[in-house]
């Protein structure tokens, strides 16, 4: 069915069939063409298929674990329509078989798929954190999640490596040099909420969060270089880092200015935009920080290699880029030592939406079957 657009599905009868759906990856990783197509197919207007094979176009990635049933998404995404994802090379092979099939000699194949959703009775995770006290009794919290899909270099192995280096750097300094304390928090339940992670840390440290926390700094997927794709001619990494998106939940002019200064000094490629919504692909980042009145800030980036093995297979996470971003974050931390929380609140616009963008009506329009 190609990319599963309305015109490609027009007049088709999918009832009881296996659908081969081409997935066109988009730069951000969270969004791709198969999400909307899945919504369109799952509603059943073209007959309910037996299942969907999503053929990813991500180059050189042997395994793709992207989401197809969309976050937010359309009204029919809760329907139980079995789907799986195959890689680009396998998809081309299957497509060629289909193209060469004859009415009296159809393609016959067997695909065995096994999966298990592990509940809290089988799945365990923990938070690990280190505390470096300061003189003021206030703290800057630096957070990174340590779980991930597949090799997880992109999401979020680079962030773990960068934060460990920063923790080592600040631990080597005398305590009297720190006006504010630092907390380096590694959370173990970002991708599958419900066992540990951020909300558990906040519940155990509610007074600290509400009274003594200056800001949460949250790097997400650092260290990535841009890949150039010329189709069948060549696909290879470049020496240019993927531009970062700055998230500041209260749009603090001071915080925005500090991050922009750091970006200019350490040559960090950034989007000319500031994102306000907290990181919230699960409940463990929103609303707990928001409810505690905590400001969150940090750079994040995405790519079509999100939740694939292509981050490793294409050598996209580079130590030199991680070093630059670590030095830039350290500059922001050093500058924040001069300020109080009231300085970060001055001129800001507190995040006050009733629901996250990930639960919003606009996402339903984007990813639904409209």
């Amino acid at each position: 069915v190609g990319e599963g657009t309305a015109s490609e599905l027009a007049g088709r009868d999918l009832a009881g069939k296996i659908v081969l759906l081409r997935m066109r990856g988009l730069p951000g990783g969270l969004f791709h063409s198969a999400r909307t197509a899945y919504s369109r197919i799952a509603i059943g207007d073209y007959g309910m298929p037996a299942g969907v094979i999503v053929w990813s176009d991500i180059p050189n990635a042997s395994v793709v674990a992207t989401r197809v049933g969309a976050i937010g998404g359309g009204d029919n995404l809760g329907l139980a329509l079995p789907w799986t994802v195959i890689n680009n090379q396998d998809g081309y092979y299957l497509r060629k078989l289909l193209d060469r099939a004859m009415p009296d000699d159809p393609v016959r194949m067997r695909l065995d798929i096994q999966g298990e959703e592990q509940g809290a009775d089988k799945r365990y995770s923990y938070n690990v954190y280190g505390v470096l006290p300061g003189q003021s009794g206030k703290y800057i919290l630096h957070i990174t999640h340590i779980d991930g899909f597949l090799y997880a270099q992109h999401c979020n192995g680079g962030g773990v490596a960068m934060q460990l280096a920063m923790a080592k750097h600040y631990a080597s300094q005398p305590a009297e040099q720190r006006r504010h304390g630092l907390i380096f928090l590694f959370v173990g339940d970002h991708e599958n909420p419900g066992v540990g992670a951020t909300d558990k840390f906040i519940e155990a440290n509610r007074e600290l969060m509400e009274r003594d926390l200056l800001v949460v700094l949250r790097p997400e997927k650092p260290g990535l270089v841009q890949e150039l794709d010329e189709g069948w001619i060549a696909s290879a990494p470049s020496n240019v880092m993927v531009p970062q998106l700055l998230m500041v939940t209260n749009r603090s002019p001071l915080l925005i200015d500090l991050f922009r200064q750091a970006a200019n000094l350490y040559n960090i490629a950034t989007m000319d935009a500031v994102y306000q919504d907290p990181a919230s692909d699960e409940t463990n980042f929103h609303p707990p920080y928001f409810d505690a009145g905590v400001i969150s800030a940090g750079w994040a980036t995405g790519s079509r290699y999100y939740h694939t093995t292509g981050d490793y297979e294409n050598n996209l996470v580079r130590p030199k880029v991680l070093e630059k971003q670590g030095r830039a974050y350290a500059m922001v931390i050093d500058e924040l030592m001069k300020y109080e929380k009231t300085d970060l609140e001055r001129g800001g616009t507190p995040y006050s939406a009733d629901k996250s963008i990930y639960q919003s009506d606009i996402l339903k329009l984007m990813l639904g079957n409209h």
Side-chain angles (χ1 to χ4, degrees), residues 26-262:
L26 299 176
L30 284 173
F31 305 104
H32 51 73
S33 61
R35 286 180 178 258
T36 302
Y38 178 88
S39 302
R40 186 174 292 118
I41 292 169
I43 199 173
D45 287 350
Y46 307 96
M48 190 61 69
V52 179
I53 298 175
V54 179
W55 165 24
S56 163
D57 72 348
I58 310 301
N60 306 322
S62 59
V63 181
V64 178
T66 188
R67 298 178 179 96
V68 176
I71 49 173
D75 297 332
N76 298 92
L77 287 176
L79 295 176
L81 181 58
W83 57 267
T84 190
V85 182
I86 60 176
N87 66 34
N88 198 38
Q89 183 176 352
D90 290 344
Y92 271 120
Y93 177 74
L94 180 56
R95 177 59 193 263
K96 286 181 178 180
L97 288 179
L98 292 172
D99 287 343
R100 295 169 182 172
M102 303 298 290
D104 57 349
D105 186 19
V107 174
R108 297 189 182 277
M109 62 173 287
R110 180 181 180 89
L111 182 65
D112 290 321
I113 303 171
Q114 300 180 10
E116 179 186 3
E117 178 66 25
Q118 292 186 342
D121 59 329
K122 295 183 178 180
R123 180 170 46 83
Y124 297 91
S125 66
Y126 300 91
N127 296 329
V128 179
Y129 59 92
V131 180
L132 297 174
Q135 304 302 308
S136 69
K138 307 299 181 181
Y139 289 90
I140 298 168
L141 174 63
H142 213 268
I143 182 174
T144 311
H145 71 87
I146 55 176
D147 61 336
F149 286 85
L150 308 171
Y151 296 120
Q153 284 193 344
H154 178 212
C155 182
N156 195 26
V160 174
M162 188 183 80
Q163 181 164 205
L164 283 170
M166 292 178 64
K168 182 179 180 180
H169 164 70
Y170 282 105
S172 68
Q173 297 179 351
E176 57 270 18
Q177 291 185 11
R178 291 189 297 271
R179 181 183 177 192
H180 303 311
L182 296 171
I183 302 172
F184 290 92
L185 171 63
F186 300 85
V187 296
D189 212 358
H190 167 80
E191 303 291 359
N192 294 287
V195 180
T198 309
D199 54 353
K200 304 300 183 185
F201 180 82
I202 293 173
E203 290 169 9
N205 300 278
R206 173 65 63 170
E207 186 175 338
L208 167 71
M209 305 298 292
E210 295 180 348
R211 189 187 67 185
D212 296 327
L213 201 63
L214 186 72
V215 66
V216 171
L217 298 181
R218 183 177 180 267
E220 181 70 11
K221 312 181 192 73
L224 201 71
V225 296
Q226 189 75 51
E227 158 261 354
L228 297 180
D229 184 12
E230 290 297 331
W232 56 271
I233 299 176
S235 175
S238 70
N239 65 345
V240 179
M241 72 180 298
V242 173
Q244 305 292 303
L245 170 62
L246 178 61
M247 182 267 292
V248 180
T249 54
N250 73 334
R251 296 189 183 275
S252 162
L254 175 58
L255 273 172
I256 293 172
D257 184 59
L258 290 180
F259 272 96
R260 286 179 173 167
Q261 286 183 45

Side-chain angles (χ1 to χ4, degrees), residues 271-293:
M271 289 178 62
D272 190 16
V274 178
Y275 185 56
Q276 189 175 19
D277 197 272
S280 55
D281 49 347
E282 24 64 14
T283 58
N284 290 348
F285 287 107
H286 176 80
Y289 282 145
F290 172 63
D291 290 346

Side-chain angles (χ1 to χ4, degrees), residues 4-13 40 46:
T5 62
S7 58
E8 288 171 307
L9 293 173
R12 306 294 291 274
D13 178 14
R40 186 174 292 118
Y46 307 96

